[in-house]
Amino acid sequence: VKTPDVIEFLSTYRDRPRTHNAYRAHLRELMRFAEEKGYREPGSNPVTAVRTMSTPARDRYITDSELRRIKVAAMYGDDGRKTRSGAMICALLDMAYLTGQRIGDLLSLEWSQVTDRGIEFKTAKTSSRVLVEWTPRLQDVARRLRELRKQRRGFAPQVFTTQDGDAYTYWGASTAWRRARDRSGVKGCTFHDLRAKALTDKEAREGMGPARAMGGHTTETQTADYVRRKTATKTRATR
């Protein structure tokens, strides 16, 4: 495998910078592994010469109305009947918005982390801990999840589980999200945009400090990357 081969393969994703960069990173690691095992000469990684593509900052803000539409679509399939996973997925979407946590940290959440004070998240990306204190809406989500747990056949320690009681996988939750989003007709948003919505709304109501705390960020600059400006910044004319 040579550099032109890598460029030819990645050319398919030139219109999708993030996908292009993800495949580039994966290929680079594969070639590094090949060097490590002696299948390639040291320092011959063909991906090194291929540049990453610049990725524009996301500015997609999911409105309250759009989130409601996605939740309705999660509850009801194309045939108009309730889906088996709808209630659990809706609880996952509500939890994602109310706590502002990443999907990986939500799916790994265990009942032992649901305390009297609130829900204590252990963030895998930064190894930090975030305690999201109870609000009436968050307590309602926890109540719904406890009721769903009673209906499950298994007793996995995770909060978000399938009908069989097994912990939801990233693939399973992502697939359910995409299906609900597509049925709803809402375009151009990802599950991660729910985190941006949460931090944006938190910043608008309470300021950047509380939003940074919810996001588990070290600096407010990191939090600012998530804040979506729903309206133009107001200012007066020079004179």
Side-chain angles (χ1 to χ4, degrees), residues 153-167:
R153 289 186 285 272
F155 293 95
Q158 285 78 16
V159 171
F160 296 100
T161 58
T162 64
Q163 286 290 121
D164 295 327
D166 299 323

Side-chain angles (χ1 to χ4, degrees), residues 204-236:
R205 291 189 178 96
E206 302 179 32
M208 187 62 78
R212 181 196 63 77
M214 172 177 275
H217 294 138
T218 305
T219 66
E220 292 187 356
T221 301
Q222 294 172 303
T223 310
D225 289 339
Y226 283 89
V227 175
R228 313 292 196 230
R229 294 303 174 190
K230 295 175 285 184
T231 58
T233 303
K234 293 181 180 181
T235 183
R236 300 187 66 182

Side-chain angles (χ1 to χ4, degrees), residues 89-208:
I89 295 302
C90 284
L92 175 63
L93 299 183
D94 284 337
M95 183 77 79
Y97 171 61
L98 293 173
T99 66
Q101 302 306 304
R102 299 177 181 85
I103 185 171
D105 297 324
L106 291 166
L107 296 180
S108 64
L109 179 67
E110 298 186 359
W111 282 106
S112 60
Q113 296 168 244
V114 181
T115 71
D116 293 339
R117 295 184 300 159
I119 302 177
E120 185 174 321
F121 289 92
K122 304 171 184 177
T123 61
K125 188 172 183 179
T126 61
S127 300
S128 61
R129 292 175 180 266
V130 177
L131 176 67
V132 181
E133 297 178 330
W134 292 117
T135 64
R137 287 184 63 181
L138 187 57
Q139 287 176 324
D140 180 65
V141 176
R143 178 192 60 78
R144 286 154 47 197
L145 286 165
R146 289 190 182 95
E147 290 298 319
L148 288 170
R149 180 174 172 79
K150 294 177 183 177
Q151 302 169 19
R152 296 311 196 242
R153 289 186 285 272
F155 293 95
Q158 285 78 16
V159 171
F160 296 100
T161 58
T162 64
Q163 286 290 121
D164 295 327
D166 299 323
Y168 251 108
T169 63
Y170 178 86
W171 181 86
S174 297
T175 299
W177 154 263
R178 286 195 300 271
R179 287 174 178 169
R181 180 198 59 194
D182 293 345
R183 278 199 298 268
S184 72
V186 176
K187 305 291 185 182
C189 63
T190 66
F191 192 100
H192 199 58
D193 287 329
L194 288 176
R195 176 169 163 84
K197 174 179 175 59
L199 298 186
T200 297
D201 291 355
K202 187 78 169 177
E203 189 272 340
R205 291 189 178 96
E206 302 179 32
M208 187 62 78

Side-chain angles (χ1 to χ4, degrees), residues 7-48:
I7 293 174
E8 181 180 358
F9 172 78
L10 293 176
S11 64
T12 306
Y13 310 102
R14 295 294 295 178
D15 60 336
R16 287 170 284 172
R18 288 182 173 82
T19 303
H20 173 280
N21 292 345
Y23 272 113
R24 178 191 176 277
H26 187 59
L27 285 171
R28 185 176 183 180
E29 180 60 20
L30 285 175
M31 295 299 105
R32 185 206 62 77
F33 180 76
E35 290 183 36
E36 183 180 284
K37 292 297 183 179
Y39 304 141
R40 297 185 63 91
E41 290 296 322
S44 66
N45 195 321
V47 187
T48 303

